[in-house]
Amino acid sequence: MATVDAGELGAGRPVVPAWRGGFGRLWAAAVVSRFGDALRGAALPLLAVSLTDSPVLVSLVTACGFLPWLLFGLIGGAIADRVDQRRAMWAVDGARAVLMAGFAVAVWLDRATIGLLLVLAFALTTLQTLFDNAATALLPSVVGEEALGRANARLMTGQEVMGRFVGAPLVPVLLGLGAAMPYAADAVTYLAAAVLVASLGVAPPRRAPRPPGGSLRRDIAEGLAVLWRDRTLRALCASTTLCNIGIGALIATLVLHITGWLGAGNTGYAVVITVYGIGSVAGGLVAARLTEKLGRVRTLLLCGTAQIGALVALGAIRSLPAAVAAMGLFGFAGIIWNVTEVTMTQERSPEGTLGRVSSAFRTLSIAGAPLGALLGGVMAAAWGLGTPALGAAALFVCGAAALVPGMRSDIN
């Protein structure tokens, strides 16, 4: 098991995860896997539109990224609490490597169809429900509770850099070498991540004896009950769900907002997305220090307030520079929120329940995104392309209001 750097154990000094040992390999596995995901995520929509001219079928590719979480997210969390999380993670990555390799062969042989693409997207996300819940539950065993905040920040920042600024820009190069290359490279990254996770020297998790006749349904119910009884986590989940509805509305219409309402074209949209990514990376770099200085609850409230301001500016000011600045701030505050949210879930979940609690949190909060996407489209059609951002701001205000009562006692 990895420990913290000895030099950081002095009184009053922040504890950071050691790069050597388990955390370094877990970080590398997460970053390599995110690189492959970025390749696939950028290439799949291009392949989809080459296979069909049906907007419904193309949109179903994105829907397959949400639906398995709603169907199997809670089951994935329950399984993650029953098994050795390290073994579950490398087994899942091994299975995903096989799936991607097979799909790459199908593309290479010109046998790919939109139906096969939909099945692949659904299968990969279904496997992800187990992998992500197992990864969240495993991290405290690798770095220790005192270093969770900084470990989460480093993981998310590394993934953001690799996905946005390395993986996605390489897709045109790989496509120039062959239509199957992005998927073949993704298969290799899954295999590399599986090897890295398998090499972790983490002791099997300690769990209380299971009651006779215990079932997945009972395990899921226990995870939901833990989330409901913890006033702080319950408030955080409700707030995140409301915010995700707003984010869904924003993401679904952002390209129309920038290219249509602002008239900035594809170049303007690319600039906005790039600055959003830069803001996210910058936020990840300061997330741990900010939460150590302000406390987790104050940090959440500050980030929520910043995102509300960014959304209001985005929806009210018809200017590309204002949109660029707003999305940079939105990304900066968003990743700090995510780091803090995950760390609080890890810290507050009772031993042996983290997989189920995190899956309950994820499933409930992710459910807001597709609802928000539909809401954003309706708002844009009814009241104009600038309104989804303002609607998202209103939902973020509701999210902040839901956060305060449950966390009043935790403000320090």
Side-chain angles (χ1 to χ4, degrees), residues 372-398:
L374 177 61
L375 178 64
V378 171
M379 292 175 65
W383 301 299
L385 295 176
T387 54
L390 297 176
L395 285 160
F396 269 71
V397 171
C398 295

Side-chain angles (χ1 to χ4, degrees), residues 40-383:
R40 185 184 73 251
L44 275 183
L46 299 175
L47 179 61
V49 297
S50 72
L51 296 174
T52 179
D53 57 1
S54 168
V56 174
L57 290 176
V58 172
S59 66
L60 280 177
V61 176
T62 300
C64 286
F66 292 108
L67 186 58
W69 274 105
L70 304 182
L71 296 176
F72 308 119
L74 295 174
I75 297 173
I79 295 174
D81 278 340
R82 286 186 170 211
V83 301
D84 183 327
Q85 289 126 7
R86 178 184 61 87
R87 291 181 179 177
M89 289 170 64
W90 68 252
V92 165
D93 264 348
R96 293 196 286 190
V98 171
L99 286 174
M100 286 308 306
F103 185 73
V105 171
V107 174
W108 179 53
L109 296 175
D110 201 21
R111 297 294 180 87
T113 65
I114 190 66
L116 181 61
L117 193 154
L118 291 171
V119 170
L120 175 76
F122 188 88
L124 290 175
T125 306
T126 300
L127 290 168
Q128 187 180 354
T129 64
L130 174 56
F131 183 92
D132 285 0
N133 287 315
T136 300
L138 178 67
L139 185 60
S141 300
V142 175
V143 302
E145 184 175 328
E146 64 282 348
L148 279 175
R150 289 177 176 263
N152 282 314
R154 289 181 177 183
L155 280 169
M156 292 186 191
T157 303
Q159 290 174 311
E160 190 72 19
V161 170
M162 188 60 71
R164 288 190 181 275
F165 301 113
V166 180
L170 277 178
V171 169
V173 177
L174 291 175
L175 287 174
L177 299 175
M181 288 302 295
Y183 313 108
D186 192 18
V188 173
T189 64
Y190 277 134
L191 183 61
V195 172
L196 286 165
V197 172
S199 70
L200 291 175
V202 180
R206 294 175 296 173
R207 297 187 177 95
R210 304 189 61 79
S215 64
L216 282 176
R217 180 179 297 179
R218 180 179 298 177
D219 287 351
I220 290 169
E222 183 180 351
L224 289 167
V226 170
L227 178 61
W228 177 257
R229 288 194 300 264
D230 189 304
R231 187 178 179 185
T232 297
L233 288 183
R234 186 175 72 230
L236 182 57
C237 183
S239 178
T240 303
T241 301
L242 287 166
C243 292
N244 278 350
I245 297 174
I247 290 172
L250 178 68
I251 291 174
T253 58
L254 184 61
V255 64
L256 298 173
H257 182 103
I258 302 301
T259 61
W261 193 62
L262 296 182
N266 293 338
T267 300
Y269 180 70
V271 171
V272 167
I273 293 301
T274 300
V275 172
Y276 172 82
I278 293 171
S280 298
V281 171
L285 294 174
V286 304
R289 291 193 293 274
L290 188 63
T291 54
E292 287 162 4
K293 183 176 182 178
L294 299 180
R296 304 209 189 283
V297 178
R298 285 195 178 96
T299 299
L300 287 172
L301 293 174
L302 177 63
C303 289
T305 301
Q307 289 186 296
I308 291 168
L311 289 168
V312 170
L314 184 66
I317 304 174
R318 204 161 185 173
S319 160
L320 179 59
V324 169
M327 288 303 294
L329 176 60
F330 192 79
F332 178 86
I335 198 167
I336 296 174
W337 177 290
N338 291 341
V339 168
T340 307
E341 167 206 305
V342 171
T343 303
M344 290 180 70
T345 304
Q346 290 167 330
E347 290 175 341
R348 299 186 69 92
S349 299
E351 186 176 12
T353 68
L354 180 52
R356 285 167 286 170
V357 175
S358 65
S359 71
F361 196 115
R362 278 194 179 98
T363 300
L364 293 171
S365 59
I366 285 175
L371 175 61
L374 177 61
L375 178 64
V378 171
M379 292 175 65
W383 301 299

